[in-house]
Each structure stands twice: as structure tokens, then as C-alpha cells.
Amino acid sequence: MKSVKVCILGDFAVGKTSLVRRFVDEAFSERYLTTVGVKIDTKTVHPEGAEPIKLVLWDVAGADELSALQTSYVRGSAGFILVCDLTRRETLTTATKLKSEVAAQFGPVPWCLFANKNDLTEEREIDDMALSELTEDGWIVHTTSAKTGFNVESAVLALASRLSIDAGRSP
Ligand code: G3D
Ligand code: MG
């Protein structure tokens, strides 16, 4: 089975770790690389119409989220998940910046945006209009909630099926 590295990127406290925790069977697969400040979880998924694929999810373990974009962290990623927090507009700016930096360093890699904390409707600062503008620009956007679980699995599966197809093409 193909195994692919997927990085979770985004501003401080947007919900990266909570999303991974929601998606992954923690007790089954958790490992810390404390020296580099990264938490690695794995999960095998079976996207419909594509080969099963083992996702190796890399999550920054510390507070210093932006320096996570050191080349060593992202290198070798088959795809990445950008996360923003719907209740903090500036986290979308950070996501946009991270996306450009990854593209500049690594070229085109499959990615998507998780617009997280969808459950906090009252505090929402990023509206549907802003998200549809991103979609028009070619972004793949999923609103999610790590708290309720809303859309988390289907959003990860959507990325996984793109990666599975890509992995099947490589020699
Ligand atoms: P990070 O890994 O991106 O830094 P965390 O973010 O996963 O540590 O989450 C930061 C805080 O946001 C946590 O709250 C977490 O519970 C909360 N959070 C994450 N996702 C959601 C969500 O979808 N909805 C809501 N309501 N909260 C969320 P604390 O209080 O533990 O710091
Ligand atoms: Mg975290």
C-alpha cells in the first residue's frame, strides 16, 4: 500500500491538532518526534473509487507554528492541509501566505483548506462569500469542526482520494 506524507499547516490555535485527533485513532497510532517538535499520526483510508492509502499526518507540536514551514518539515509531502479558524480573519491571511511559501519551495502539491470551528457561528469572522471567492480562485475549501466532527472525515477523504490517484501514477 502506498504511504504518503501530509502536512497540516496553519496559524496558532486554528485547530490543527484537534482535527488530526478527531480523524485518527489515537490509541492505535501516535508518535512524537520531540526533537523536531512534530507529532506524527498515521491512518489508512479507503477512498471510494481509489486505492487504499496510508496517510502519514505531520502536525507541528509546539507553539511556534509559523517556523514550521522550515523546508525540513514540509519536504517530501505528497499533499498538505491548510487550516484557518473561521472566527479569526487573520488566520486566513496566514493560510494564504503559507500556501504561497509552499508553492514557491515545492511547486504544485495537492492541497486543500479546512475552514475550521464551523460550530462557532456567533463568533464567525470569515463569511461564506469570502470562502466562495477562494473556491472561484481554484481553492478546494471544506468547512469543518474538530469539535463536532462536522465534515472532518469527508474532507480528509477527499484529499486522500486525490493523493491515492497521484500515488497510483508514480512508478
Ligand atoms: P493548533 O493545533 O492549530 O494550535 P488546537 O490548535 O487543535 O490546539 O486547538 C486550539 C483551540 O481551539 C483548542 O481550545 C481547541 O479545543 C479549539 N478548537 C479546535 N478546533 C475547534 C473547533 O472546531 N471548534 C471549537 N469550538 N473549538 C475548536 P483550547 O481551549 O483547548 O485551547
Ligand atoms: Mg497543535
Side-chain angles (χ1 to χ4, degrees), residues 44-100:
T44 299
V45 293
H46 302 262
E48 227 180 283
E51 293 292 309
I53 191 163
K54 182 173 166 184
L55 301 178
V56 182
L57 301 161
W58 285 49
D59 172 33
V60 197
D64 197 6
E65 316 282 329
L66 292 176
S67 75
L69 204 72
Q70 285 155 359
T71 316
S72 57
Y73 173 67
V74 183
R75 177 174 293 130
S77 293
F80 61 98
I81 297 171
L82 286 176
V83 184
C84 73
D85 174 347
L86 285 168
T87 71
R88 286 182 294 147
R89 181 169 293 282
E90 72 276 11
T91 64
L92 183 56
T93 310
T94 301
T96 307
K97 199 175 112 221
L98 288 168
K99 180 189 97 61
S100 309

Side-chain angles (χ1 to χ4, degrees), residues 11-18 21 39 59-63 65:
D11 216 330
F12 181 68
V14 291
K16 299 179 296 297
T17 302
S18 306
R21 191 174 297 147
K39 185 161 85 67
D59 172 33
V60 197
E65 316 282 329

